[in-house]
Amino acid sequence: AQSVTQPDIHITVSEGASLELRCNYSYGATPYLFWYVQSPGQGLQLLLKYFSGDTLVQGIKGFEAEFKRSQSSFNLRKPSVHWSDAAEYFCAPRSEAAGNKLTFGGGTRVLVKP
Amino acid sequence: ETGVTQTPRHLVMGMTNKKSLKCEQHLGHNAMYWYKQSAKKPLELMFVYSLEERVENNSVPSRFSPECPNSSHLFLHLHTLQPEDSALYLCASSQVMRGESTDTQYFGPGTRLTVL
């Protein structure tokens, strides 16, 4: 069965430090991959997506993600975190084998220390 | 208005009430979705409408009734809900093309529902 895992429920990072959020998936074929961010009291905003091609994907707000087929991972990174990056982040694979549905991970909540 | 809007943003209702959630998308998309986001549970897809036709119903209880009168509007009619239905209900839209699955979903801000 298809599944997605975000191993870290909470991450605390100092402002200005780097951030990496992990996402691992288990699908028969490489799915399309999305990262969304949800600020408190808000809906989900698309950060970036990977369909094919270059395995390093640039997104909005200075985020990037790297697709690694061998590790079935699509980790999200940001070199220098800002206080406004405090939010919950969701990885969401999607594949035809899973009925073209977005399957959301459990999310990682990021806290930013001054 | 731009993007995907949802009203109301907050709703408190009793178990015997009937209420409706509204979603409107201003992106010219042809597919709309309802998701439920509960505390400590992943986002759950409830319903999908593509070209105003319901194409997905993920075993949602009949006390939730969706309606999609046109490609820009989506409703979720609620009746005799239970306290465990309290959650954030998110609407999304996308532009679906036949034979492709690369569409991107754009989400509204959600309606925070509390059932007393």
Side-chain angles (χ1 to χ4, degrees):
Chain A
Q2 293 87 3
S3 66
V4 54
T5 303
Q6 293 181 247
D8 304 303
I9 298 175
H10 296 278
I11 285 181
T12 300
V13 61
S14 297
E15 192 167 14
S18 64
L19 174 68
E20 181 166 11
L21 305 182
R22 296 182 290 166
C23 173
N24 295 96
Y25 60 88
S26 176
Y27 278 68
T30 300
Y32 301 125
L33 295 156
F34 301 80
W35 273 101
Y36 284 87
V37 60
Q38 186 177 32
S39 298
Q42 301 297 315
L44 275 68
Q45 182 181 21
L46 178 70
L47 282 175
L48 48 78
K49 58 190 176 185
Y50 173 76
F51 290 159
S52 65
D54 194 345
T55 56
L56 187 62
V57 181
Q58 301 298 318
I60 63 170
K61 304 186 179 188
F63 284 91
E64 65 178 26
E66 185 171 13
F67 168 64
K68 292 186 177 180
R69 185 189 306 274
S70 61
Q71 298 178 18
S72 296
S73 69
F74 189 55
N75 294 349
L76 182 71
R77 299 192 295 250
K78 185 167 184 177
S80 178
V81 170
H82 187 262
W83 63 266
S84 61
D85 294 321
E88 190 156 21
Y89 293 79
F90 295 92
C91 178
R94 178 184 183 184
S95 79
E96 293 181 12
N100 278 327
K101 290 186 281 190
L102 273 178
T103 302
F104 285 87
T108 298
R109 185 168 296 279
V110 173
L111 304 174
V112 179
K113 294 190 301 183
Chain B
E1 291 279 9
T2 59
V4 181
T5 58
Q6 291 187 242
T7 54
R9 294 293 308 275
H10 299 270
L11 178 62
V12 179
M13 60 186 289
M15 289 191 285
T16 58
N17 291 158
K18 288 185 180 181
K19 296 286 184 183
S20 296
L21 310 184
K22 179 183 176 182
C23 174
E24 185 172 0
Q25 60 95 1
H26 309 269
L27 300 169
H29 289 165
N30 60 9
M32 298 187 77
Y33 311 77
W34 278 118
Y35 286 87
K36 177 182 179 182
Q37 187 177 31
S38 307
K40 300 179 182 179
K41 289 180 71 175
L43 270 138
E44 303 170 71
L45 179 64
M46 301 174 71
F47 300 105
V48 180
Y49 277 82
S50 183
L51 300 172
E52 301 159 38
E53 179 182 343
R54 191 191 310 180
V55 296
E56 186 92 28
N57 178 346
N58 279 346
S59 303
V60 179
S62 59
R63 56 185 184 269
F64 295 92
S65 174
E67 178 189 3
C68 187
N70 56 62
S71 59
S72 299
H73 294 85
L74 183 66
F75 295 89
L76 188 62
H77 303 299
L78 316 170
H79 65 98
T80 59
L81 294 192
Q82 305 298 310
E84 59 265 28
D85 297 322
S86 298
L88 182 68
Y89 289 85
L90 292 163
C91 174
S93 72
S94 71
Q95 182 64 19
V96 176
M97 288 180 280
R98 293 191 192 282
E100 294 188 17
S101 55
T102 55
D103 59 295
T104 299
Q105 293 181 25
Y106 294 87
F107 286 78
T111 294
R112 174 69 62 186
L113 174 67
T114 303
V115 182
L116 301 176

PDB file of all heavy atoms in Angstrom, chain A residues 5-11 20-23 88-89 106-110:
ATOM      1  N   THR A   5       5.627   9.171   5.031  1.00  0.00           N
ATOM      2  CA  THR A   5       6.031   9.349   6.421  1.00  0.00           C
ATOM      3  C   THR A   5       6.839  10.620   6.576  1.00  0.00           C
ATOM      4  O   THR A   5       7.786  10.864   5.825  1.00  0.00           O
ATOM      5  CB  THR A   5       6.901   8.162   6.891  1.00  0.00           C
ATOM      6  OG1 THR A   5       6.182   6.947   6.716  1.00  0.00           O
ATOM      7  CG2 THR A   5       7.265   8.314   8.361  1.00  0.00           C
ATOM      8  N   GLN A   6       6.457  11.407   7.546  1.00  0.00           N
ATOM      9  CA  GLN A   6       7.263  12.539   7.981  1.00  0.00           C
ATOM     10  C   GLN A   6       7.713  12.198   9.396  1.00  0.00           C
ATOM     11  O   GLN A   6       6.940  12.307  10.337  1.00  0.00           O
ATOM     12  CB  GLN A   6       6.453  13.831   7.948  1.00  0.00           C
ATOM     13  CG  GLN A   6       6.086  14.257   6.532  1.00  0.00           C
ATOM     14  CD  GLN A   6       5.300  15.556   6.506  1.00  0.00           C
ATOM     15  OE1 GLN A   6       4.125  15.580   6.141  1.00  0.00           O
ATOM     16  NE2 GLN A   6       5.951  16.640   6.881  1.00  0.00           N
ATOM     17  N   PRO A   7       8.956  11.758   9.556  1.00  0.00           N
ATOM     18  CA  PRO A   7       9.386  11.177  10.837  1.00  0.00           C
ATOM     19  C   PRO A   7       9.400  12.162  12.002  1.00  0.00           C
ATOM     20  O   PRO A   7       9.248  11.761  13.151  1.00  0.00           O
ATOM     21  CB  PRO A   7      10.802  10.682  10.541  1.00  0.00           C
ATOM     22  CG  PRO A   7      10.913  10.653   9.064  1.00  0.00           C
ATOM     23  CD  PRO A   7      10.002  11.705   8.543  1.00  0.00           C
ATOM     24  N   ASP A   8       9.588  13.441  11.693  1.00  0.00           N
ATOM     25  CA  ASP A   8       9.711  14.435  12.765  1.00  0.00           C
ATOM     26  C   ASP A   8       8.384  15.140  12.972  1.00  0.00           C
ATOM     27  O   ASP A   8       7.889  15.809  12.071  1.00  0.00           O
ATOM     28  CB  ASP A   8      10.796  15.456  12.422  1.00  0.00           C
ATOM     29  CG  ASP A   8      12.125  14.788  12.135  1.00  0.00           C
ATOM     30  OD1 ASP A   8      12.597  14.056  13.018  1.00  0.00           O
ATOM     31  OD2 ASP A   8      12.654  14.986  11.030  1.00  0.00           O
ATOM     32  N   ILE A   9       7.802  14.999  14.157  1.00  0.00           N
ATOM     33  CA  ILE A   9       6.535  15.669  14.450  1.00  0.00           C
ATOM     34  C   ILE A   9       6.776  17.141  14.751  1.00  0.00           C
ATOM     35  O   ILE A   9       6.012  18.012  14.335  1.00  0.00           O
ATOM     36  CB  ILE A   9       5.833  14.976  15.623  1.00  0.00           C
ATOM     37  CG1 ILE A   9       5.506  13.531  15.251  1.00  0.00           C
ATOM     38  CG2 ILE A   9       4.558  15.727  16.008  1.00  0.00           C
ATOM     39  CD1 ILE A   9       4.931  12.724  16.386  1.00  0.00           C
ATOM     40  N   HIS A  10       7.858  17.402  15.527  1.00  0.00           N
ATOM     41  CA  HIS A  10       8.204  18.786  15.876  1.00  0.00           C
ATOM     42  C   HIS A  10       9.692  18.998  15.589  1.00  0.00           C
ATOM     43  O   HIS A  10      10.500  18.095  15.820  1.00  0.00           O
ATOM     44  CB  HIS A  10       7.977  19.050  17.371  1.00  0.00           C
ATOM     45  CG  HIS A  10       6.562  18.950  17.801  1.00  0.00           C
ATOM     46  ND1 HIS A  10       5.651  19.969  17.646  1.00  0.00           N
ATOM     47  CD2 HIS A  10       5.888  17.945  18.383  1.00  0.00           C
ATOM     48  CE1 HIS A  10       4.478  19.583  18.122  1.00  0.00           C
ATOM     49  NE2 HIS A  10       4.584  18.367  18.581  1.00  0.00           N
ATOM     50  N   ILE A  11      10.000  20.190  15.121  1.00  0.00           N
ATOM     51  CA  ILE A  11      11.402  20.606  15.004  1.00  0.00           C
ATOM     52  C   ILE A  11      11.499  22.029  15.521  1.00  0.00           C
ATOM     53  O   ILE A  11      10.682  22.877  15.145  1.00  0.00           O
ATOM     54  CB  ILE A  11      11.902  20.530  13.548  1.00  0.00           C
ATOM     55  CG1 ILE A  11      12.138  19.080  13.137  1.00  0.00           C
ATOM     56  CG2 ILE A  11      13.183  21.336  13.381  1.00  0.00           C
ATOM     57  CD1 ILE A  11      12.659  18.919  11.729  1.00  0.00           C
ATOM     58  N   GLU A  20      15.945  21.334   7.766  1.00  0.00           N
ATOM     59  CA  GLU A  20      15.680  20.234   6.845  1.00  0.00           C
ATOM     60  C   GLU A  20      14.532  19.412   7.393  1.00  0.00           C
ATOM     61  O   GLU A  20      14.574  18.953   8.547  1.00  0.00           O
ATOM     62  CB  GLU A  20      16.900  19.339   6.626  1.00  0.00           C
ATOM     63  CG  GLU A  20      16.601  18.206   5.629  1.00  0.00           C
ATOM     64  CD  GLU A  20      17.843  17.498   5.116  1.00  0.00           C
ATOM     65  OE1 GLU A  20      18.932  17.726   5.671  1.00  0.00           O
ATOM     66  OE2 GLU A  20      17.714  16.721   4.151  1.00  0.00           O
ATOM     67  N   LEU A  21      13.519  19.207   6.598  1.00  0.00           N
ATOM     68  CA  LEU A  21      12.355  18.402   6.979  1.00  0.00           C
ATOM     69  C   LEU A  21      12.335  17.149   6.114  1.00  0.00           C
ATOM     70  O   LEU A  21      12.439  17.236   4.887  1.00  0.00           O
ATOM     71  CB  LEU A  21      11.064  19.199   6.774  1.00  0.00           C
ATOM     72  CG  LEU A  21      10.990  20.563   7.471  1.00  0.00           C
ATOM     73  CD1 LEU A  21       9.637  21.210   7.214  1.00  0.00           C
ATOM     74  CD2 LEU A  21      11.230  20.413   8.960  1.00  0.00           C
ATOM     75  N   ARG A  22      12.172  16.015   6.767  1.00  0.00           N
ATOM     76  CA  ARG A  22      12.249  14.746   6.064  1.00  0.00           C
ATOM     77  C   ARG A  22      10.898  14.252   5.580  1.00  0.00           C
ATOM     78  O   ARG A  22       9.875  14.437   6.243  1.00  0.00           O
ATOM     79  CB  ARG A  22      12.892  13.692   6.971  1.00  0.00           C
ATOM     80  CG  ARG A  22      14.341  13.991   7.340  1.00  0.00           C
ATOM     81  CD  ARG A  22      14.910  12.876   8.193  1.00  0.00           C
ATOM     82  NE  ARG A  22      14.331  12.855   9.526  1.00  0.00           N
ATOM     83  CZ  ARG A  22      14.453  11.827  10.379  1.00  0.00           C
ATOM     84  NH1 ARG A  22      15.084  10.726   9.990  1.00  0.00           N
ATOM     85  NH2 ARG A  22      13.927  11.887  11.594  1.00  0.00           N
ATOM     86  N   CYS A  23      10.926  13.612   4.427  1.00  0.00           N
ATOM     87  CA  CYS A  23       9.728  12.989   3.872  1.00  0.00           C
ATOM     88  C   CYS A  23      10.161  11.714   3.163  1.00  0.00           C
ATOM     89  O   CYS A  23      11.032  11.753   2.291  1.00  0.00           O
ATOM     90  CB  CYS A  23       9.038  13.920   2.886  1.00  0.00           C
ATOM     91  SG  CYS A  23       7.658  13.141   1.992  1.00  0.00           S
ATOM     92  N   GLU A  88       3.321  24.585  10.053  1.00  0.00           N
ATOM     93  CA  GLU A  88       3.328  23.139   9.886  1.00  0.00           C
ATOM     94  C   GLU A  88       3.520  22.831   8.410  1.00  0.00           C
ATOM     95  O   GLU A  88       2.919  23.480   7.540  1.00  0.00           O
ATOM     96  CB  GLU A  88       2.037  22.510  10.406  1.00  0.00           C
ATOM     97  CG  GLU A  88       2.088  20.991  10.480  1.00  0.00           C
ATOM     98  CD  GLU A  88       1.125  20.408  11.489  1.00  0.00           C
ATOM     99  OE1 GLU A  88       0.148  21.085  11.865  1.00  0.00           O
ATOM    100  OE2 GLU A  88       1.340  19.238  11.900  1.00  0.00           O
ATOM    101  N   TYR A  89       4.362  21.839   8.143  1.00  0.00           N
ATOM    102  CA  TYR A  89       4.748  21.511   6.782  1.00  0.00           C
ATOM    103  C   TYR A  89       4.288  20.098   6.446  1.00  0.00           C
ATOM    104  O   TYR A  89       4.493  19.165   7.230  1.00  0.00           O
ATOM    105  CB  TYR A  89       6.266  21.634   6.622  1.00  0.00           C
ATOM    106  CG  TYR A  89       6.747  23.065   6.755  1.00  0.00           C
ATOM    107  CD1 TYR A  89       6.901  23.648   8.005  1.00  0.00           C
ATOM    108  CD2 TYR A  89       7.016  23.836   5.630  1.00  0.00           C
ATOM    109  CE1 TYR A  89       7.312  24.963   8.136  1.00  0.00           C
ATOM    110  CE2 TYR A  89       7.428  25.155   5.750  1.00  0.00           C
ATOM    111  CZ  TYR A  89       7.572  25.709   7.007  1.00  0.00           C
ATOM    112  OH  TYR A  89       7.977  27.016   7.125  1.00  0.00           O
ATOM    113  N   GLY A 106       1.797  13.185   8.053  1.00  0.00           N
ATOM    114  CA  GLY A 106       1.268  13.683   9.305  1.00  0.00           C
ATOM    115  C   GLY A 106       1.681  15.103   9.634  1.00  0.00           C
ATOM    116  O   GLY A 106       1.123  15.704  10.549  1.00  0.00           O
ATOM    117  N   GLY A 107       2.634  15.629   8.901  1.00  0.00           N
ATOM    118  CA  GLY A 107       3.063  17.003   9.120  1.00  0.00           C
ATOM    119  C   GLY A 107       4.219  17.121  10.085  1.00  0.00           C
ATOM    120  O   GLY A 107       4.407  16.269  10.970  1.00  0.00           O
ATOM    121  N   THR A 108       5.011  18.169   9.914  1.00  0.00           N
ATOM    122  CA  THR A 108       6.074  18.530  10.848  1.00  0.00           C
ATOM    123  C   THR A 108       5.848  19.966  11.278  1.00  0.00           C
ATOM    124  O   THR A 108       5.781  20.862  10.431  1.00  0.00           O
ATOM    125  CB  THR A 108       7.470  18.410  10.209  1.00  0.00           C
ATOM    126  OG1 THR A 108       7.708  17.057   9.826  1.00  0.00           O
ATOM    127  CG2 THR A 108       8.557  18.853  11.207  1.00  0.00           C
ATOM    128  N   ARG A 109       5.732  20.154  12.576  1.00  0.00           N
ATOM    129  CA  ARG A 109       5.531  21.504  13.087  1.00  0.00           C
ATOM    130  C   ARG A 109       6.883  22.127  13.398  1.00  0.00           C
ATOM    131  O   ARG A 109       7.684  21.531  14.136  1.00  0.00           O
ATOM    132  CB  ARG A 109       4.669  21.496  14.352  1.00  0.00           C
ATOM    133  CG  ARG A 109       4.317  22.895  14.859  1.00  0.00           C
ATOM    134  CD  ARG A 109       3.237  22.853  15.926  1.00  0.00           C
ATOM    135  NE  ARG A 109       1.975  22.342  15.420  1.00  0.00           N
ATOM    136  CZ  ARG A 109       1.097  23.055  14.746  1.00  0.00           C
ATOM    137  NH1 ARG A 109       1.348  24.326  14.453  1.00  0.00           N
ATOM    138  NH2 ARG A 109      -0.038  22.518  14.337  1.00  0.00           N
ATOM    139  N   VAL A 110       7.137  23.287  12.820  1.00  0.00           N
ATOM    140  CA  VAL A 110       8.423  23.977  12.987  1.00  0.00           C
ATOM    141  C   VAL A 110       8.249  25.162  13.925  1.00  0.00           C
ATOM    142  O   VAL A 110       7.386  26.022  13.698  1.00  0.00           O
ATOM    143  CB  VAL A 110       8.975  24.449  11.635  1.00  0.00           C
ATOM    144  CG1 VAL A 110      10.220  25.311  11.837  1.00  0.00           C
ATOM    145  CG2 VAL A 110       9.293  23.251  10.743  1.00  0.00           C
TER     146      VAL A 110
END
